[in-house]
Amino acid sequence: MQKTAEKENLEKASVALPPTHTVTLKVNNTEKQLQLAPWVSLLDALREYLGLTGTKKGCDHGQCGACTVLVNGRRINSCLTLAIMEEGNDITTIEGLAKGDALHPMQEAFIQHDAYQCGYCTPGQICSAVGLLSEGKAKNEHDIKELMSGNICRCGAYTNIVAAVQDVMQQKGDPANE
Amino acid sequence: MSNTTTNYIGKPASRVDGRAKVTGEAKYAAEFPAPGLTYGVVVSSAVAKGTITKIDTAAALSLPGVLQVFTHQNRPGLAWFDKKYQDEDAPPGTPFRPLYDEKILFSQQPIALVVADNFEVARYAASLVEITYETEPHITSIKNRLHEAYTPKEYKSAEPSPRGDAEKGLAQAEITHEAEYSHPSEHHNPMEMHASTVVLAEDGTLTVYDKTQGVQNSQNYITQVFGLAKEQVQVISPFVGGAFGSGLRPQYQLFLAVMAALELKRSVRVVLTRQQMFSFGHRPATIQHLVLGSTSQGALTAVVHEGFAETSRFEDYTENLVNWSAMLYKCDNVQLAHKLIQMDAYTPLDMRAPGGVTGLYALECAMDELAYKLDKDPLELRLTNYTNIDLSKDNPFSSKELKACYQQGAEKFGWAKRNPQPRSMREGKTLIGYGLATGAWEVNQQKSSAKAVLSPDGQLKVTSATADIGTGTYTIMTQIAAETLGLPLANVTFKLGDTALPQAPLQGGSWTAASVGSAVKAACEGIQEKLLAHIRNLKEGPLAGVQKLEEVLFADGKIILKSNPAQHMLLPEVMRLAGENFIEATVTTKPELRQKKYSMFSHSAVFVEVLVDEDFGTIRVTRVVSAIAGGRIINPKTARSQILGGIVWGMGMALEEESVMDQPYGRFINHDLAEYHVPVNADIHDLEVIFVEEDDDIVNPLGVKGLGEIGIVGTAAAIANAVYHATGKRVRDLPITLDKLM
């Protein structure tokens, strides 16, 4: 079938690539400049462009929580936001939680309570748990379970994850353990 | 000697790879960098059966950054014979060959690979590939097709082994129970999606980071299919983000990534999408027909267990589905059958406790139903039919502490408080149900090798090409090695997941602790022997005169004279005096022949409490006690986690998991983690694990039985039985969703 010139141009236009932009991301207190197309998710920017592979891709649809990071202290699914939207924000990934050799209390608690098996959902669980604590909404074990349910652990380490979170809450004197 | 500081076996230890996992340092298959890395995105078939009549790749190829679109039309020449594509876990048949020809054998079949400079461009380009199909009618259900079932020529695992005369046994029976049990297909859905990063070196050799349960299986597959020498392909997999069986066979992303790397002379990464995780192996749907006959006292006179399972058009997948009914209870007359029905879908694949979890679900629900007919406590019924002999083979069990599981589990759970009447226990509008079931899993030891190298600084490096899919392999192997040579845990490192290391079996079947553990122990004993050879030459010093290993103890970082513990030497001292820069031993271990005279199984008794909302039918599993007879427990901490995970899987199977086939399209419709339901944190309440004492010096030198699977077996049946007890409604089709209770 013959196509009109106009149609062809339209089709060509539809397969053109978007222009890239200079995007400055502040990740774990370090500013990094990247040349990114607007369609790059924060998750892919971290993993593929910054080499921060601690943040995991488990579904790319905001359904599993493996990609959870902290943005300005709030936990978000990094697969559901575009990198270009996060300019100027404070992004903390699993790589940024420890202070030098000293692990974050939540990281310590996960080791202590064996709150993982394969380890793939673990960075997301830990970031989510850190976010949960700063939200201050979890008052008891039930709340922890409910508010950690956005992070799937296929190995089924939930019992130990809850124990780890409770442990850290207790250290902080949080009411969730009373 | 239990009071030494280096006694690690049987004591809880935190994972040695824990720090790597909580800091994000642990690298999985898609996370290894390579210079000039390219990205491949798979295009999947939109139809379940038919022929590709046209693939238009022009738009995709026109995008800047797209390097190639591979299809069946431009793929390179490949190995011809089926056996070249048959991996270690392949069932009999003709393995699927990606991009082989224009034929579509199943929905979501990979039909093109788009490779580009970056992931986003590859993904976009993949969406531009236009495919025209000529479809053919497909069949993607086994329901109402039992008349088509056939007996496979070859069973991958155990062939059904009937005994006695079930017809006669049923004629003798005073009470009978007959029912059909079924469950749908399920998908493994490990959190990490299948991925391969293929790094091409300048000399053309490949380093492949693959998500797999056996690096050597992936290596063999690649070398056979692409005609490469083993020296040209190294497969590495230090961390695996869950697998549950999905990594037992090389999946198509490996084939595609290697093909693209060889063709483009570039490094390539291919990661499947979550949707594509529903495009290969899965737990097969089954329909199982059970008939039980018993005396009025509950002694079984006949067991009939016939299983009908799905398979693909190209391979006959079987698992041990029905033999459990021949080994678990005392009964003279057992009739078994395991038949297959072909579908236009991918071949099923071993999924955590394949066959066991499904076959025992049917048997253990049937036993529960029989107990009600007999007006007998379900636990009593199990004890009435208890056997210390595996009657399917006429072998004694190497050990069987199942009775202790029943007793300890029942006590912990408070089984005695159960009112036997269904629908008799409630709190307001909440119905309460108690259920129990038995679990069993076969113990296996496979040929395995390990290498141990002791350095003058007292550091021990132990290696084997096994895997750690979350099981704790790194940790328990470190414990076994440290204890055998009496070294502090911190002095020992264990390396795995690399084809450069000594041979190991696939990580599956719960056999890694037994198999690789035995090899690690033997390799460290090899070091002991070599140290002893040097000690024998000592003319003076604390150990002079020692001739045999029995005279010394390896503990606390030292070699200690048993007859006078004040006399001891450090391991490096012996090396120094002998002038050795390192001592190494590589050992291969195999099962001992005497094992053949025994049946070797782990067992469990699972007790469950459910709460069911009377109005809405919602089910909550509020308490589970799983009592496990799993031989010697090397690390109670990681062992408990294994069983907890198994229980969670059992809950998923009982109440949530179902890969829903959209019959008109022949496609799994809920192919994502929002609609394929797995348990989340809020679903999990009190889970308790009991390890009963079980000594077994026959199974393997360590006395371990393996724990990867026993935790799931029995759980789904116990939940189903508890739901019946709560509601008085028997649901024989998993998952038990609230609509089925209405």
Side-chain angles (χ1 to χ4, degrees):
Chain A
M1 199 168 70
Q2 287 288 317
K3 286 178 185 167
T4 65
E6 194 185 3
K7 249 190 175 174
E8 265 180 17
N9 281 340
L10 257 179
E11 279 185 12
K12 261 188 192 161
S14 70
V15 300
L17 293 177
T20 61
H21 301 262
T22 304
V23 179
T24 307
L25 291 178
K26 192 176 165 200
V27 184
N28 302 328
N29 286 318
T30 307
E31 289 206 344
K32 293 268 170 66
Q33 246 182 30
L34 295 169
Q35 200 63 34
L36 295 178
W39 60 15
V40 177
S41 70
L42 177 59
L43 172 61
D44 289 326
L46 293 169
R47 284 172 65 84
E48 306 296 342
Y49 294 83
L50 290 171
L52 293 171
T53 53
T55 307
K56 305 302 182 193
K57 186 183 279 191
C59 69
D60 225 5
H61 281 59
Q63 297 169 339
C64 78
C67 67
T68 306
V69 298
L70 299 163
V71 174
N72 300 331
R74 285 187 60 220
R75 48 181 174 154
I76 65 158
N77 288 326
S78 61
C79 72
L80 290 187
T81 185
L82 299 171
I84 201 166
M85 296 158 66
E86 300 303 331
E87 276 203 305
N89 288 330
D90 261 323
I91 300 159
T92 306
T93 69
I94 192 71
E95 290 93 343
L97 284 181
K99 291 207 165 47
D101 277 350
L103 294 179
H104 186 283
M106 195 62 79
Q107 293 172 311
E108 286 284 5
F110 266 63
I111 295 176
Q112 207 53 45
H113 291 275
D114 207 40
Y116 47 34
Q117 289 178 40
C118 78
Y120 198 79
C121 75
T122 309
Q125 299 277 1
I126 291 175
C127 286
S128 190
V130 170
L132 170 88
L133 258 57
S134 52
E135 286 159 17
K137 284 184 199 152
K139 303 295 180 205
N140 51 43
E141 189 187 325
H142 172 266
D143 294 344
I144 296 173
K145 287 177 181 172
E146 192 65 33
L147 296 168
M148 286 296 290
S149 282
N151 291 81
I152 296 175
C153 169
R154 183 57 160 157
C155 297
Y158 297 122
T159 305
N160 295 347
I161 291 169
V162 172
V165 177
Q166 276 184 305
D167 193 349
V168 179
M169 275 182 156
Q170 208 149 37
Q171 291 167 34
K172 291 186 144 193
D174 208 282
N177 287 285
E178 283 161 17
Chain B
M1 208 155 130
S2 57
N3 56 351
T4 64
T5 57
T6 51
N7 185 281
Y8 297 109
I9 296 178
K11 291 191 180 156
S14 294
R15 280 171 213 259
V16 297
D17 51 340
R19 194 182 172 95
K21 283 176 175 169
V22 302
T23 54
E25 281 162 24
K27 283 211 180 297
Y28 299 79
E31 299 173 351
F32 289 85
L37 182 67
T38 64
Y39 293 78
V41 168
V42 179
V43 179
S44 306
S45 169
V47 305
K49 193 175 188 179
T51 307
I52 301 167
T53 53
K54 192 180 166 207
I55 298 190
D56 186 349
T57 59
L61 284 166
S62 75
L63 279 183
V66 172
L67 301 168
Q68 182 57 291
V69 180
F70 292 99
T71 69
H72 67 274
Q73 291 164 335
N74 64 356
R75 65 157 174 83
L78 296 162
W80 181 250
F81 294 106
D82 277 345
K83 68 172 193 214
K84 299 276 187 191
Y85 295 80
Q86 262 154 353
D87 64 276
E88 269 184 66
D89 194 40
T94 301
F96 169 67
R97 303 177 181 197
L99 309 191
Y100 178 62
D101 62 13
E102 69 283 6
K103 287 279 172 208
I104 301 293
L105 305 173
F106 56 95
S107 179
Q108 280 204 305
Q109 176 177 321
I111 47 180
L113 181 78
V114 180
V115 185
D117 283 337
N118 68 57
F119 167 64
E120 289 77 15
V121 170
R123 181 177 57 187
Y124 179 46
S127 75
L128 300 175
V129 175
E130 279 194 41
I131 296 134
T132 315
Y133 309 92
E134 200 173 281
T135 57
E136 290 167 42
H138 58 262
I139 303 176
T140 44
S141 168
I142 61 170
K143 275 188 189 137
N144 307 318
R145 293 178 63 216
L146 300 193
H147 58 280
E148 293 176 43
Y150 62 95
T151 303
K153 281 194 203 105
E154 196 185 326
Y155 286 89
K156 194 175 137 225
S157 51
E159 201 162 319
S161 50
R163 64 171 175 269
D165 184 341
E167 220 165 286
K168 204 177 92 196
L170 283 173
Q172 288 165 356
E174 290 163 287
I175 306 282
T176 56
H177 164 68
E178 179 169 5
E180 200 173 88
Y181 301 87
S182 59
H183 64 85
S185 312
E186 295 174 2
H187 280 81
H188 308 73
N189 276 311
M191 295 309 294
E192 178 199 22
M193 293 163 310
H194 275 254
S196 304
T197 302
V198 179
V199 180
L200 187 78
E202 273 180 24
D203 64 359
T205 57
L206 303 178
T207 305
V208 181
Y209 300 94
D210 188 34
K211 179 185 176 77
T212 175
Q213 289 171 251
V215 284
Q216 287 156 332
N217 195 30
S218 295
Q219 184 194 37
N220 286 338
Y221 179 82
I222 294 167
T223 54
Q224 289 175 35
V225 170
F226 294 96
L228 300 170
K230 282 199 174 166
E231 298 69 45
Q232 293 172 285
V233 183
Q234 183 177 11
V235 181
I236 296 175
S237 177
F239 290 97
V240 182
F244 315 108
S246 67
L248 288 173
R249 300 189 69 182
Q251 302 303 352
Y252 61 78
Q253 93 287 341
L254 174 67
F255 171 100
L256 294 171
V258 170
M259 177 200 69
L262 292 172
E263 287 297 291
L264 297 171
K265 308 271 185 281
R266 295 283 296 269
S267 297
V268 180
R269 171 175 301 157
V270 179
V271 184
L272 300 187
T273 63
R274 179 54 63 185
Q275 286 64 35
Q276 287 165 344
M277 291 296 287
F278 289 76
S279 65
F280 52 91
H282 52 273
R283 194 190 294 291
T286 73
I287 295 169
Q288 300 175 55
H289 178 233
L290 264 287
V291 191
L292 301 179
S294 84
T295 66
S296 60
Q297 300 304 304
L300 289 168
T301 57
V303 177
V304 178
H305 191 166
E306 291 167 319
F308 301 88
E310 64 162 296
T311 193
S312 66
R313 299 278 185 203
F314 44 93
E315 284 167 317
D316 277 350
Y317 173 84
T318 57
E319 51 195 11
N320 179 7
L321 180 66
V322 297
N323 283 8
W324 311 99
S325 290
M327 62 69 64
L328 197 56
Y329 297 114
K330 189 162 55 188
C331 179
D332 291 333
N333 306 299
V334 180
Q335 184 184 313
L336 304 172
H338 180 185
K339 294 181 178 175
L340 298 179
I341 301 165
Q342 291 186 347
M343 300 195 336
D344 295 302
Y346 196 84
T347 310
L349 174 61
D350 294 334
M351 178 163 153
R352 202 169 193 177
V357 72
T358 46
L360 276 165
Y361 149 69
L363 175 65
E364 286 299 284
C365 286
M367 285 294 281
D368 197 63
E369 297 202 53
L370 181 66
Y372 283 101
K373 281 196 174 170
L374 287 160
D375 201 14
K376 199 173 168 88
D377 185 298
L379 182 50
E380 271 303 308
L381 180 63
R382 266 90 176 170
L383 292 171
T384 302
N385 293 287
Y386 198 86
T387 176
N388 282 314
I389 306 275
D390 174 3
L391 294 164
S392 69
K393 297 196 180 85
D394 266 329
N395 278 341
F397 289 102
S398 61
S399 61
K400 182 179 174 181
E401 295 295 340
L402 176 58
K403 254 184 196 159
C405 294
Y406 287 135
Q407 279 155 6
Q408 292 178 32
E411 195 180 311
K412 192 87 196 173
F413 181 82
W415 183 255
K417 285 182 233 149
R418 172 179 177 269
N419 181 330
Q421 281 306 311
R423 220 181 167 89
S424 62
M425 292 162 58
R426 65 161 67 220
E427 265 171 29
K429 288 211 159 192
T430 303
L431 302 168
I432 302 168
Y434 286 4
L436 76 82
T438 315
W441 188 251
E442 193 161 11
V443 178
N444 261 300
Q445 188 189 345
Q446 307 276 333
K447 185 180 161 193
S448 306
S449 304
K451 180 180 175 180
V453 182
L454 182 66
S455 312
D457 55 1
Q459 298 287 317
L460 179 72
K461 284 201 169 63
V462 186
T463 55
S464 177
T466 181
D468 187 333
I469 56 174
T471 42
T473 314
Y474 275 114
T475 310
I476 64 162
M477 296 307 156
T478 306
Q479 288 175 275
I480 292 166
E483 174 158 327
T484 308
L485 280 172
L487 293 169
L489 218 49
N491 284 28
V492 181
T493 51
F494 181 72
K495 198 179 167 209
L496 52 70
D498 187 335
T499 47
L501 306 178
Q503 181 270 333
L506 285 167
Q507 179 160 60
S510 293
W511 60 52
T512 302
S515 309
V516 181
S518 296
V520 165
K521 183 169 188 271
C524 293
E525 286 166 351
I527 301 261
Q528 286 185 345
E529 294 281 357
K530 290 187 176 177
L531 285 166
L532 177 74
H534 294 309
I535 290 169
R536 281 203 196 109
N537 294 331
L538 295 176
K539 300 279 182 277
E540 53 191 35
L543 298 182
V546 168
Q547 291 300 319
K548 291 179 182 168
L549 273 182
E550 292 76 56
E551 295 170 55
V552 294
L553 185 72
F554 287 77
D556 299 332
K558 295 174 282 200
I559 307 169
I560 302 166
L561 192 63
K562 279 186 187 167
S563 59
N564 180 5
Q567 302 274 86
H568 51 73
M569 286 178 80
L570 297 172
L571 280 64
E573 268 184 86
V574 177
M575 291 175 72
R576 190 170 47 79
L577 291 173
E580 292 277 18
N581 283 330
F582 61 89
I583 293 180
E584 68 168 62
T586 304
V587 178
T588 299
T589 47
K590 283 185 277 193
E592 291 176 34
L593 276 176
R594 65 189 180 125
Q595 287 181 4
K596 286 198 191 301
K597 292 186 207 147
Y598 295 89
S599 278
M600 307 186 298
F601 286 85
S602 53
H603 290 89
S604 70
V606 190
F607 298 82
V608 167
E609 177 189 81
V610 298
L611 301 189
V612 183
D613 185 291
E614 195 176 10
D615 294 331
F616 298 108
T618 47
I619 304 164
R620 270 185 303 150
V621 178
T622 42
R623 287 195 297 134
V624 179
V625 175
S626 184
I628 305 287
R632 194 177 184 194
I633 304 303
I634 294 180
N635 184 342
K637 191 171 188 169
T638 53
R640 174 173 171 267
S641 292
Q642 285 264 70
I643 303 303
L644 289 176
I647 298 170
V648 172
W649 268 64
M651 290 171 60
M653 179 180 176
L655 303 175
E656 301 186 48
E657 292 187 43
E658 176 173 16
S659 301
V660 181
M661 185 61 90
D662 185 8
Q663 298 298 345
Y665 290 99
R667 173 194 310 164
F668 291 115
I669 196 169
N670 57 338
H671 57 354
D672 60 59
L673 288 175
E675 304 201 46
Y676 182 91
H677 292 173
V678 298
V680 297
N681 210 320
D683 294 323
I684 307 304
H685 302 282
D686 278 357
L687 310 184
E688 189 144 359
V689 180
I690 298 170
F691 291 113
V692 308
E693 279 283 320
E694 190 174 60
D695 294 326
D696 195 326
D697 57 5
I698 291 153
V699 277
N700 51 65
L702 287 161
V704 304
K705 288 190 168 179
L707 298 169
E709 274 140 321
I710 187 62
I712 176 174
V713 184
T715 307
I719 293 170
N721 295 340
V723 169
Y724 173 75
H725 181 238
T727 63
K729 183 156 185 185
R730 181 64 69 172
V731 178
R732 301 191 185 92
D733 179 47
L734 297 184
I736 305 172
T737 45
L738 49 88
D739 53 300
K740 293 178 188 171
L741 283 181
M742 287 294 178

